[in-house]
Amino acid sequence: MADQSSETVNKLSLEMETVTVSSSQAPSSSAGLQMSEEVEKRYRIVRSIGEECIQEEELKNLLAKKAAPICYDGFEPSGRMHIAEGVMKVINVNKMTSAGCRVKIWIADWFAQLNNKMGGDLKKIRVVGEYFQEIWKAAGMDNDKVEFLWSSEEINSKADKYWPLVMDIARKNKLPRILRCVQIMGRSETDELSAAQILYPCMQCADIFFLEADICQLGMDQRKVNVLAREYCDDIKRKNKPIILSHHMLPGLQQGQEKMSKSDPLSAIFMEDEEAEVNVKIKKAYCPPKIVQGNPCLEYIKYIILPWFDEFTVERNEEYGGNKTYKTFEDIATEYESGELHPGDLKKGLMNSLNKMLQPVRDHFKTDARAKNLLKQIKAYRVTR
């Protein structure tokens, strides 16, 4: 068994070392890679997604040498979809595909079960995964270069490739190193973890190689397991490491909430929230006057509204400055910090933008029978941590 496991992992490593070179490969020199204008453009698009990139030179090299890099993203189907999972993912995926990337979205149903989401009920988890796909479709995700893959189906169909890889990763890492990765599940090292939750990081690390990913495009909260994958490359002497492109994590709407919570409806805007629900949540959101840092309303504008609309409009009476359209976050932040832009006006503009953005999703879930039924089921489920 040991020989077979080692042989499988070595074979996978060799397969992943192969890089498809595009016919328009940019020349390189001893001074470094010289990028063509086209590659430079693709790099700027892809790099704009990440709050952090490990490593930028590797990303430039990849885009210069490979016409259609594989980008991996994934999610646990675990309840209603908040706006970061919805709109931010659509923005990021569409950027990746516009830059020529093939995006593999890993519907991690087995992982949700391991992490006890939806009470570990795979039937419910499946419903949630299908609901997520309906939202992305309605929100405008470009699916031409996107492949949705259910982890249970893919792992079962290629078990001889997957499990030897998981076992090899587990063998090459000590338990404390794996425990440092449990943040990826929304857990901490001090939590009372099940054996399944110890297995989870080894499996997620294996996913990256199993899916032959060139780029890991996940949130900052997934960084530790992505770094584990790069460390594993050192262990198996693999030169081409997966590039980590970690996007920003939106905070919750209430004061002191570092992230959104599906168990707290006021902490986030959900993708099928009605207009009145959006308005109430934004009205109650933390938005201290003249404070930019740690202001969730400004974060929504920076990371959702501006990338989506390329502008942000505030509507006011003439006596309070009149209507104004901003093109950059810097201009918004400057006027907000000075007091020229009032929290009430900013919130009103944010409500208008969010409702305009979400209306196609609402319409889809009201007019499409399948989507309507999925949402009805989702709302009846109890969210488990």
Side-chain angles (χ1 to χ4, degrees), residues 123-257:
K123 288 182 180 179
K124 289 181 179 179
I125 290 167
R126 182 88 190 193
V127 170
V128 177
E130 291 173 355
Y131 148 85
F132 271 42
Q133 291 181 74
E134 287 292 326
I135 287 186
W136 288 323
K137 179 171 68 176
M141 183 178 284
D142 177 13
N143 288 334
D144 288 346
K145 294 179 182 176
V146 177
E147 192 176 3
F148 290 97
L149 301 168
W150 292 86
S151 68
S152 57
E153 294 175 359
E154 294 300 310
I155 293 170
N156 275 333
S157 67
K158 303 180 185 73
D160 59 334
K161 178 180 178 181
Y162 187 79
W163 292 114
L165 186 54
V166 174
M167 289 188 291
D168 199 56
I169 291 167
R171 283 195 316 109
K172 287 182 168 60
N173 286 279
K174 304 297 184 186
L175 186 57
R177 179 66 184 91
I178 299 301
L179 286 173
R180 290 204 301 274
C181 292
V182 299
Q183 177 190 6
I184 65 175
M185 300 177 283
R187 313 288 173 178
S188 75
E189 295 177 52
T190 57
D191 286 351
E192 188 175 341
L193 301 169
S194 68
Q197 289 165 330
I198 302 297
L199 180 63
Y200 190 120
C202 296
M203 290 175 64
Q204 185 168 326
C205 182
D207 293 343
I208 296 165
F209 304 99
F210 181 68
L211 295 171
E212 301 180 354
D214 299 300
I215 301 169
C216 301
Q217 202 286 289
L218 300 160
M220 286 293 292
D221 61 337
Q222 305 296 302
R223 183 183 185 279
K224 289 183 179 180
V225 77
N226 291 333
V227 170
L228 180 68
R230 288 178 63 89
E231 291 171 358
Y232 178 66
C233 289
D234 293 331
D235 291 334
I236 62 173
K237 305 296 188 289
R238 178 185 160 184
K239 293 179 181 178
N240 291 332
K241 298 179 180 180
I243 294 155
I244 304 172
L245 200 61
S246 303
H247 65 249
H248 180 74
M249 299 292 292
L250 276 182
L253 288 171
Q254 302 302 304
Q255 185 175 5
Q257 292 181 330

Side-chain angles (χ1 to χ4, degrees), residues 289-290 314 316 320-322 324 326 331-343 345-346:
K290 300 183 181 182
V314 171
R316 298 176 292 203
Y320 298 117
K324 184 165 184 178
Y326 300 87
D331 288 345
I332 298 168
T334 298
E335 292 201 1
Y336 190 81
E337 204 163 27
S338 71
E340 188 174 341
L341 178 56
H342 188 272
D345 296 323
L346 181 132

Side-chain angles (χ1 to χ4, degrees), residues 53-113:
C53 177
I54 306 174
Q55 298 281 348
E56 290 185 342
E57 285 304 313
E58 292 176 17
L59 178 59
K60 291 175 183 177
N61 187 56
L62 172 70
L63 294 172
K65 290 184 175 180
K66 196 168 185 179
I70 295 173
C71 173
Y72 148 72
D73 196 349
F75 68 96
E76 279 185 0
S78 57
R80 292 176 66 195
M81 181 187 284
H82 56 59
I83 200 162
E85 292 173 311
V87 172
M88 280 185 72
K89 193 177 293 291
V90 169
I91 291 168
N92 291 342
V93 167
N94 287 356
K95 281 184 177 181
M96 297 297 294
T97 58
S98 73
C101 297
R102 289 173 51 209
V103 178
K104 293 184 178 181
I105 296 183
W106 192 236
I107 309 177
D109 52 346
W110 269 6
F111 293 78
Q113 185 181 42

